[in-house]
Amino acid sequence: MTSLDIAFTAVGAVTIAAGLLAVTTRHLVHAALWLVLALGGLAGCYLVLGAELVALVQILVYVGAVVVLVIFALMLTRAPIGPSPDHATSMLHRVLAAVIAGGVTALLLAVLVPLAGDDAVERTPVDTAAISGQLFATWVWPFEALSLLLLVALIAAFAVAAVGRRARR
């Protein structure tokens, strides 16, 4: 086991823990902050794998834009900071969700672990120019669609906040 394998495992464990905390916490703002850590950890995984450009795009697009937009929308719409009884679920739903998540995890492990085998994965150098060419030539329209979606979400957050203010008056 190399130092890169250890670093990938450590960063991956932090990412998994942050992802689990993001979906299990009852505080909306805490969930958004755990999501920042999970997406940042994913960028760290990309860095360990040698995909610097993908890690940078991960941080810029997801951490720098999407999560900031989510936090901004939470603050703008005055979402409840603490636990919300309106969003609570029963114990049966939680147990059912845990069973389904365990089944999906077992299925993924059953399929992916035999693919890895006993041999270490050989790392090949990545050509950043080729990746950036694909990303900003072939996939430029999905990025533009994402920016348009973020703009629509921001306008919708303003509209929801304005309606809430008018209703209180």
Side-chain angles (χ1 to χ4, degrees):
M1 186 173 247
T2 66
S3 61
L4 287 176
D5 294 333
I6 294 170
F8 183 81
T9 303
V11 172
V14 168
T15 304
I16 289 170
L20 286 173
L21 287 168
V23 298
T24 58
T25 186
R26 292 179 180 226
H27 300 268
L28 291 175
V29 175
H30 291 176
L33 295 174
W34 284 118
L35 184 62
V36 168
L37 184 61
L39 293 174
L42 188 58
C45 289
Y46 292 144
L47 279 176
V48 172
L49 292 174
E52 295 88 7
L53 180 69
V54 178
L56 179 65
V57 169
Q58 171 79 18
I59 289 173
L60 288 176
V61 172
Y62 290 103
V63 176
V66 174
V67 175
V68 169
L69 180 70
V70 167
I71 293 173
F72 183 70
L74 286 174
M75 289 188 293
L76 190 64
T77 59
R78 292 184 174 87
I81 299 289
S84 174
D86 296 334
H87 300 102
T89 58
S90 68
M91 184 57 78
L92 177 65
H93 285 128
R94 290 184 199 166
V95 170
L96 184 61
V99 168
I100 291 172
V104 170
T105 302
L107 180 64
L108 284 172
L109 287 176
V111 171
L112 294 178
V113 168
L115 292 177
D118 294 333
D119 299 331
V121 176
E122 182 180 330
R123 291 180 175 84
T124 57
V126 178
D127 185 20
T128 304
I131 292 175
S132 62
Q134 284 289 318
L135 193 60
F136 297 113
T138 306
W139 298 102
V140 71
W141 291 113
F143 275 119
E144 291 300 323
L146 178 64
S147 67
L148 187 63
L149 178 68
L150 291 173
L151 178 64
V152 168
L154 185 61
I155 292 170
F158 280 126
V160 167
V163 168
R165 272 182 258 156
R166 272 189 250 136
R168 281 191 295 268
R169 289 182 188 171

